[in-house]
Structure formats: C-alpha cells, structure tokens
Amino acid sequence: DRAAAREMYREAISYRPGDHLLLTKFLELVAEDGDWSYSLDVVGKLIETEKDPRVRARYRHLAGQIARDELDDPERARELMTQALEDDPLAFAIADELEAIHKKEDLAGFYARRLEHVRGQSGVGRPGEALRLWDKLAALSLELGNMDDAIAALEVARNLAPDDTDRLQRLADPA
C-alpha cells in the first residue's frame, strides 16, 4: 500500500530528519508516484542536511532538473542550478545545462561568473574551458552590439590562443 508506505516514511523522517537513506528511499517513492512538488521538498531536505558541497551540488542539480522538466519552472531551475554550481564550480555538466537555460540577456553575467570559477584551474576540469567562455562572451557581445566588450573578450581569447588565425581575423574585423 503506497499511501501507507508514504505515511510510514514521513513518520520515520520526523524522528530522523537528516537520515539520507530514509530521505532517498522516500524520494524514490514519491517520484514514482509522480508527486514532483513533494519530490522537490524531499530533495530540499537532502540539500539542507548535506555537508559535502559536491554532493549538495548534485542534489541541487536534481532539484533544478525537477523544477525545469517536471514542474515547468525555469526560473526556479536556474536558481537551483546556479546554487549547485556555486557548491561545485567544476561540475561542467551542471554548467552546460545552466548555460542552455539562461536567457540571452543574462548570459554575459553567467559567462563572467564561469570565468571566475575556472580562473586558475588549468589542468583541472575541461581543457580549453576558459577559451571557450571568452569566445562565447565575445560572440554574445557582438550579437548584442556591445563592441567594446566583444573586442575585450576577443583580446583575452587571442592571448590564450595566440596562433589561432580565425580568432585574429575576428579581432581585426569584429563586425
């Protein structure tokens, strides 16, 4: 009886609110029932009680996916995934999903924050990530008509990859 099982888990969690095994099993039950709003609440309890930032990031990411895919709440999804990325700045899968759901007018700020995350992280994470972000920022700035920002981003990218002739050409004629 699923209703009885849910009630038993709720009661058990009231006595042991930080028990991740109980919370995870309860999450599985409510998710199977398609109760996404309640699933998000259970994931919230996992987030609140998790000490390891990388594990907490995975829980926040899951919550963001539920908000985006099941509750059709892209704003909440962006907020949760942004928090996940702050917990684990080198979680590139989360960063990629977050980049995809950002509104165009918010991408410049996102790229700037990501550049802060990857600064000094050479050899860790995704090779060429800083260069990719500078290129994306340059392209976005061009698209939005922010020529000074585009040129500055292209200059930094040129310094990161000085032998890239395509980038040099774009810098010579950014329009």
Side-chain angles (χ1 to χ4, degrees), residues 3-95:
R6 282 176 73 141
E7 191 54 42
M8 287 172 39
Y9 274 117
R10 258 194 293 268
E11 186 173 337
I13 290 169
S14 72
Y15 291 105
R16 294 171 57 190
D19 187 322
H20 281 226
L21 182 59
L22 270 176
L23 287 166
T24 303
K25 289 193 176 290
F26 187 44
L27 175 61
E28 185 178 313
L29 182 68
V30 294
E32 284 175 2
D33 288 345
D35 191 345
W36 297 111
S37 189
Y38 199 53
S39 294
L40 201 55
D41 291 343
V42 175
V43 175
K45 289 182 190 313
L46 287 163
I47 292 166
E48 289 170 12
T49 57
E50 182 55 57
K51 303 287 187 253
D52 184 333
R54 293 181 71 197
V55 174
R56 192 172 50 242
R58 289 193 297 268
Y59 287 141
R60 287 188 201 278
H61 182 222
L62 173 61
Q65 290 174 317
I66 291 170
R68 179 193 64 202
D69 300 339
E70 305 300 339
L71 299 176
D72 195 28
D73 189 346
E75 198 58 42
R76 191 167 186 193
R78 269 191 296 281
E79 177 184 316
L80 287 161
M81 288 187 193
T82 297
Q83 292 168 352
L85 211 47
E86 291 303 318
D87 280 338
D88 187 3
L90 297 178
F92 292 100
I94 296 170

Side-chain angles (χ1 to χ4, degrees), residues 50 91 99 116 174:
E50 182 55 57
E99 182 177 352
E116 288 177 28

Side-chain angles (χ1 to χ4, degrees), residues 104-115:
K104 186 182 290 189
E105 59 269 15
D106 297 330
L107 276 172
F110 171 77
Y111 292 141
R113 185 66 184 137
R114 288 300 297 146
L115 284 163

